[in-house]
Amino acid sequence: MLVSLSPREIVSKLDENIVGQYEAKRKVAIAMRNRYRRMKLSDDLKPEVIPKNILMIGPTGVGKTEVARRMAKITGAPFTKVEATKYTEVGYVGRDVESMVRDLVETSVKMVKEELFKGVREEATKLANERLIKLLAPGRFKEPTFNNPFEMLSNMGKTEEPVEEVDDTVREKRRNIRQDLEDGRLEERVVEIEVEEKQMSMMMPGMDNGMGDMLQNMMPKKKRKKRLPVKHAREHLIREESEGLIDTDLVYDRAIELAETLGIIFIDEMDKIAMGSNSQAGVSREGVQRDILPIVEGSVVETKYGPVNTEHILFIGAGAFHVAKPSDLIPELQGRFPIRVELDKLKAEDFKRILTEPKHSLSKQYEALLETEGVTVSYTDEAIEALANIAYDVNSTTDDIGARRLHTIMETLLEELLFEADNMHGAHVEITEKYVNDKLDTIKSSKNLSQFIL
């Protein structure tokens, strides 16, 4: 279990992708390790130890969501993110706060299924290949026949599958195809398979209490024919066969246990539901807080997979809290987020590190994208510093959107190169300070700084 990583190991792994915010990393790492420690307690003490929920405070783009999401991924914990404001947009007939728990369980079910699929993949692959052989060398199908009228009447209304007849010629052809499949000679051959269509959501305002899920399950599964190369068709068929090989009840039981013991719900925009004034909207905001409160305190939520107890789910709240303050939240909700951490505003040095240090930094991503066209790119230290200063200056003079500013700046900087790359195979481009400044001067001269603003 990855959650058994020590807090130091979790922070070290977070450092590979996130620059700075050491205090936030420490606190989420400790919270996650405590969940592992709780599992090792005696049965009489275990129920008494509840998670110490965390409230992250800081402007947009400084890494609040990323710290929580990455930590969940590193430790193998189910994770879902919701916005507190979603529960205010259409009033009290809108999205039910319990839906956050259902979203978490859906994630947990997918994780458990993927884990169990690995164990049956070999058998599922054999079954999928057998289906492919039959698709590539079909037999002759004939409709079922009846010996007398009474047999026909007794079978009326029943769906009878056509009977497949296989002669020696088809058997020989299938033997040859089986060998070709094993040798990988048919991977690009196109076959027609039936795939399940994604069903439209049955959700309606005020019906976010599992009723939509129940109606969804009652609807017959629709399938459509699709032509795919063998290598892609096989994956569809492997998944179908895997579904039939695993125990569904076991999946649901494990998923609920995983969500209850390791699940993380990230509630963003908490500051937007705090009561910063005595306006009419304050009533709605307090109502949303009071709706969220029992979920955070611990309650049982009904899902289509079974009841889920939220008492030991870890909740991480987040918000900028520029106008409202954490103390503007109702006291009961404040008490349920005892751990608070303020994330640092990004400085020019932070932007420089963000561009160079993470394992998959933004500059490395663009290098990899252009390399697919046979174009190599490198950056001088001065160019990186210039980009970092631009990001900091634009954030200081306009809305501060944190590290997201770099996406806009990098896209603007490399726009022409990205457009022409397919005609530059074999070229090498060095991004220098002059290259950066020339691009910036062009934008300044056209008075189009809005290109830097999301």
Side-chain angles (χ1 to χ4, degrees):
M1 187 182 295
L2 291 175
V3 76
S4 61
L5 292 170
S6 71
R8 192 179 297 278
E9 288 170 327
I10 294 172
V11 170
S12 177
K13 286 184 175 294
L14 288 172
D15 284 341
E16 293 178 7
N17 294 287
I18 303 169
V19 168
Q21 311 303 1
Y22 183 63
E23 281 303 309
K25 292 174 183 174
R26 274 176 62 96
K27 283 180 167 50
V28 298
I30 291 169
M32 206 63 208
R33 181 65 180 188
N34 280 343
R35 312 193 81 186
Y36 172 69
R37 291 165 177 153
R38 176 183 168 274
M39 291 180 201
K40 302 178 79 172
L41 297 176
S42 59
D43 289 341
D44 61 326
L45 180 57
K46 193 183 296 184
E48 303 298 324
V49 179
I50 60 173
K52 307 304 182 286
N53 298 323
I54 301 168
L55 184 63
M56 292 186 178
I57 303 163
T60 184
V62 296
K64 300 187 295 294
T65 306
E66 195 65 10
V67 167
R69 195 194 307 277
R70 292 275 182 183
M71 187 266 292
K73 187 176 180 180
I74 289 166
T75 57
F79 173 91
T80 192
K81 176 190 172 184
V82 297
E83 284 81 33
T85 50
K86 291 292 183 188
Y87 308 113
T88 64
E89 286 177 357
V90 285
Y92 292 105
V93 295
R95 193 163 161 78
D96 186 344
V97 293
E98 291 184 352
S99 63
M100 66 175 77
V101 181
R102 296 191 187 96
D103 291 344
L104 180 70
V105 177
E106 287 288 350
T107 301
S108 188
V109 167
K110 288 177 185 174
M111 290 175 65
V112 172
K113 276 188 175 182
E114 292 302 325
E115 191 61 35
L116 292 178
F117 283 171
K118 293 175 185 175
V120 299
R121 185 172 176 88
E122 187 176 345
E123 187 178 352
T125 301
K126 289 178 182 176
L127 293 171
N129 281 333
E130 288 302 315
R131 287 175 64 180
L132 283 170
I133 290 166
K134 291 179 180 180
L135 288 168
L136 290 164
R140 189 166 62 87
F141 290 88
K142 69 173 186 176
E143 295 299 324
T145 58
F146 303 102
N147 296 322
N148 55 65
F150 295 104
E151 187 180 346
M152 182 177 70
L153 285 171
S154 65
N155 281 276
M156 283 185 68
K158 297 180 182 178
T159 304
E160 292 285 342
E161 292 291 331
V163 178
E164 183 184 26
E165 292 184 343
V166 180
D167 56 24
D168 291 339
T169 304
V170 174
R171 290 190 188 93
E172 180 62 28
K173 188 176 180 182
R174 286 181 178 180
R175 275 194 292 270
N176 295 333
I177 285 175
R178 181 176 283 105
Q179 188 60 52
D180 287 342
L181 271 180
E182 291 174 1
D183 295 340
R185 289 194 289 267
L186 300 177
E187 295 300 282
E188 300 301 327
R189 176 84 68 86
V190 175
V191 294
E192 188 174 76
I193 64 170
E194 284 190 332
V195 295
E196 195 174 298
E197 282 189 345
K198 289 185 178 178
Q199 300 292 308
M200 292 291 289
S201 174
M202 300 294 294
M203 197 66 65
M204 290 186 290
M207 200 178 72
D208 196 16
N209 58 358
M211 185 64 72
D213 288 336
M214 198 185 332
L215 289 174
Q216 195 84 50
N217 290 337
M218 291 169 62
M219 296 291 287
K221 297 282 191 291
K222 289 186 178 179
K223 291 195 172 186
R224 62 186 176 88
K225 293 187 183 296
K226 191 171 184 179
R227 291 174 61 80
L228 293 169
V230 164
K231 60 184 178 183
H232 297 316
R234 184 187 290 111
E235 290 304 317
H236 277 278
L237 298 176
I238 286 174
R239 193 162 192 87
E240 280 186 20
E241 295 296 339
S242 297
E243 291 276 3
L245 290 170
I246 61 175
D247 183 342
T248 304
D249 291 333
L250 176 65
V251 170
Y252 297 163
D253 290 344
R254 281 194 188 177
I256 288 172
E257 183 183 5
L258 185 64
E260 287 180 338
T261 57
L262 291 179
I264 301 168
I265 296 179
F266 186 91
I267 308 176
D268 204 2
E269 299 182 345
M270 288 278 285
D271 54 320
K272 303 294 195 307
I273 60 167
M275 296 174 292
S277 67
N278 294 321
S279 65
Q280 185 69 29
V283 178
S284 174
R285 293 190 189 113
E286 183 175 347
V288 174
Q289 292 182 61
R290 294 202 177 279
D291 285 346
I292 292 175
L293 183 60
I295 305 294
V296 179
E297 283 182 328
S299 58
V300 176
V301 175
E302 290 296 331
T303 75
K304 64 181 179 181
Y305 305 109
V308 177
N309 190 329
T310 68
E311 194 171 1
H312 296 286
I313 291 172
L314 175 65
F315 291 88
I316 301 178
F321 289 98
H322 289 314
V323 179
K325 302 182 295 294
S327 57
D328 291 325
L329 295 167
I330 59 174
E332 299 94 326
L333 196 58
Q334 288 183 52
R336 288 295 167 174
F337 288 88
I339 310 298
R340 296 184 185 177
V341 57
E342 195 159 345
L343 282 81
D344 302 321
K345 183 178 177 180
L346 299 178
K347 302 184 286 292
E349 182 60 30
D350 295 320
F351 285 112
K352 184 177 177 181
R353 293 178 61 198
I354 289 168
L355 284 168
T356 56
E357 290 185 13
K359 187 177 181 181
H360 302 295
S361 68
L362 197 58
S363 58
K364 291 171 187 171
Q365 290 175 33
Y366 278 104
E367 284 180 39
L369 285 171
L370 288 164
E371 197 171 342
T372 63
E373 304 274 12
V375 177
T376 57
V377 175
S378 61
Y379 306 82
T380 65
D381 292 341
E382 293 77 15
I384 293 292
E385 193 162 345
L387 287 166
N389 288 331
I390 291 168
Y392 178 75
D393 290 342
V394 177
N395 270 356
S396 300
T397 54
T398 63
D399 291 331
D400 187 349
I401 59 171
R404 295 188 181 96
R405 183 70 66 191
L406 286 173
H407 290 270
T408 313
I409 290 174
M410 288 294 288
E411 194 72 20
T412 305
L413 176 74
L414 300 173
E415 181 179 354
E416 187 176 347
L417 188 56
L418 290 165
F419 189 82
E420 298 291 348
D422 60 319
N423 295 319
M424 298 172 58
H425 190 82
H428 173 76
V429 180
E430 185 177 53
I431 308 297
T432 62
E433 184 179 13
K434 183 178 185 305
Y435 187 102
V436 173
N437 289 332
D438 286 347
K439 286 287 180 185
L440 180 61
D441 288 341
T442 302
I443 294 168
K444 281 183 175 178
S445 64
S446 65
K447 297 182 180 179
N448 193 16
L449 272 172
S450 62
Q451 289 191 45
F452 283 154
I453 303 172
L454 287 176

